[in-house]
Amino acid sequence: MGNQVEKLTHLNYKEVPTADPTGMDRDEGPRIGVSYIFSNDDDELEQQQDSVHDLGGEHPALQPYDPQLHEVECSVYYRDECIYQKSFSEEDMLPEEGDEGGGGHLSTYTPENLLNRCKPGDLVEFVCQAQYPHWVVYVGDFQVVHLHRLEVVNSFLTDASQGRRGRIANQLYRYKPLSPAVVVRNALEQVGCKDRDLSWRNSECFAAWCRYGKREFKIGGELRIGKQPYRLQIRLGDKRSHTLEFQSLEDLIMEKRRNDQIGRAAVIQELSSHLQAAEEEEEEEEDHHHPGARTAVE
């Protein structure tokens, strides 16, 4: 079977047992997110989307893009340690030290502007409405290495962007990075790797592995047994969030990327419907066990 495997249809949230939406873990047995053990590189889906937009209408890359409007705020935890965070708080949107003309680390720039900001070893995340984020490793001389449609390729940054805006994504993951020279070497050594020889499920896993060197980013890098040590906390509002649990980091990344692709509004609507249904079921159970309780309150 190798690493070339088939796409698994995503389950909706109502079909998936998750962590308690209030953040309080109740001991009710295992709760899991979605397992993507049968998933391909999601760039294959981007190819299908591109062909649709080529038939007519405005391409998403040409539409105005507001990260705070389209992207999902979330945090990733391994047990109690935060290993990834995307937040649009005032602190995160402040200009970085030494970057007088820029915004916070989540601000996006045109590909041409990014060329003036990137240094060898940097990770770049290209973003666009209704598409999966595409990650690349900047290796110098205006070039990047990235996993694209089941092959690790060396491209010019402007070509890899496909017209999308991007950001330097070094601060999203909280792992200690390798030296820039090692990051570049890791990326360049994989150029030409494709199909069954690939060890990464998508461009983000490949780029993150190049920078941090962790096996957790590789296909099958962790055994999916026992408890779910990874938690994806999705922010729904100022004081409201929902948590999904996963057995591996690669499964969690696949779900996080799916959320980025469908967009913030769709994720909030999907989760709100799930939470509302769960609350109604709880109320029905309470009424069944205590039929006089509601009448007494009224």
Side-chain angles (χ1 to χ4, degrees), residues 145 150-154 187-195 197-198:
V145 172
L150 297 175
E151 183 176 2
V152 178
V153 295
N154 192 178
L188 291 174
E189 286 180 347
Q190 301 302 322
V191 172
C193 183
K194 60 182 178 180
D195 298 330
D197 294 327
L198 289 172

Side-chain angles (χ1 to χ4, degrees), residues 114-116 118-121 137-145 154-159 184 188:
L114 276 172
L115 286 174
N116 298 322
C118 287
K119 299 185 292 293
V137 181
Y138 186 74
V139 295
D141 295 328
F142 313 117
Q143 298 182 58
V144 298
V145 172
N154 192 178
S155 312
F156 285 107
L157 182 146
T158 50
D159 292 337
V184 171
L188 291 174

Side-chain angles (χ1 to χ4, degrees), residues 46 59-68 70-72 84 86 88 105-111 114 124-136 160-169 172 204 256-257 260-261:
E46 285 188 14
H59 193 283
L62 302 178
Q63 298 176 3
Y65 184 81
D66 181 354
Q68 297 189 55
H70 298 298
E71 297 184 31
V72 179
Y84 173 101
K86 178 185 286 186
F88 293 107
H105 71 273
L106 293 178
S107 298
T108 62
Y109 305 93
T110 64
L114 276 172
V124 176
E125 179 189 32
F126 292 113
V127 291
C128 178
Q129 184 180 356
Q131 289 188 9
Y132 288 92
H134 189 71
W135 288 56
V136 303
S161 73
Q162 296 185 341
R164 292 173 287 194
R165 296 177 67 87
R167 62 168 65 96
I168 296 176
L172 290 176
E204 180 173 344
K256 179 175 69 68
R257 290 172 62 77
D260 287 333
Q261 187 267 326

Side-chain angles (χ1 to χ4, degrees), residues 43-64:
D43 269 343
E44 291 290 292
L45 295 180
E46 285 188 14
Q47 187 173 16
Q48 298 172 14
Q49 294 166 354
D50 289 344
S51 62
V52 171
H53 290 291
D54 288 343
L55 297 177
E58 187 176 15
H59 193 283
L62 302 178
Q63 298 176 3

